[in-house]
Amino acid sequence: MSSQAHETADHPQVAGATRAARLRRGLTRRWPVLAAGAVLLGLAGCYGASTFYDHRTGWVFDPSGTEYDCAVVASSHAPGSYWRGLAGGRIFLGPHETRNIAREACFPSRGECRYWLEQMRAAMTIVSSAECTRR
């Protein structure tokens, strides 16, 4: 038995302190991952899951004529108070079959725009552009 293991075995409070220190180090290293997971769960709860893309059918949301159409949002919001999302790339449909897509949508909040952008990234096999900007 090594001398360190022997000392730890003889002093239970040292063993507990070491275990607590290891736990703190583990949580400190993992907190960014845990925080990111909490944010994604929060966004899914706020905005609904797979609102803009259905991976089973390949359907990708087209905002034309909806509440997310930039012409509609621009007419009802003051300049600088809404967010415009742009996404473009290619979607894989099947063996040797892809389709180019480009979408523009506007949102009242940055969170909604970022959620939409993540949905578009999930839809596209190759992403050529993806951004949210204040308008």
Side-chain angles (χ1 to χ4, degrees):
M1 182 183 271
S2 74
S3 64
Q4 185 179 10
H6 179 69
E7 289 174 15
T8 303
D10 289 342
H11 303 287
Q13 67 273 17
V14 172
T18 305
R19 204 171 307 125
R22 280 192 306 238
L23 179 62
R24 279 193 301 276
R25 278 195 309 266
L27 289 176
T28 302
R29 291 180 188 150
R30 293 185 186 117
W31 80 263
V33 174
L34 296 172
V39 167
L40 289 176
L41 284 174
L43 286 175
C46 292
Y47 304 119
S50 299
T51 305
F52 301 108
Y53 168 64
D54 183 4
H55 70 279
R56 295 176 302 249
T57 63
W59 173 83
V60 179
F61 174 72
D62 183 9
S64 301
T66 69
E67 64 183 302
Y68 302 110
D69 188 338
C70 285
V72 172
V73 174
S75 68
S76 63
H77 287 78
S81 67
Y82 64 95
W83 292 81
R84 176 179 161 218
L86 294 173
R90 295 179 68 80
I91 294 180
F92 174 78
L93 299 173
H96 310 290
E97 186 179 0
T98 60
R99 175 173 49 124
N100 290 333
I101 67 161
R103 297 287 192 267
E104 173 189 50
C106 291
F107 304 89
S109 73
R110 181 175 185 225
E112 287 176 285
C113 185
R114 291 179 60 96
Y115 178 76
W116 172 81
L117 200 59
E118 289 306 314
Q119 292 287 307
M120 294 300 102
R121 283 186 176 133
M124 294 182 275
T125 308
I126 299 171
V127 178
S128 57
S129 65
E131 66 180 20
C132 281
T133 56
R134 185 180 289 273
R135 299 300 273 183

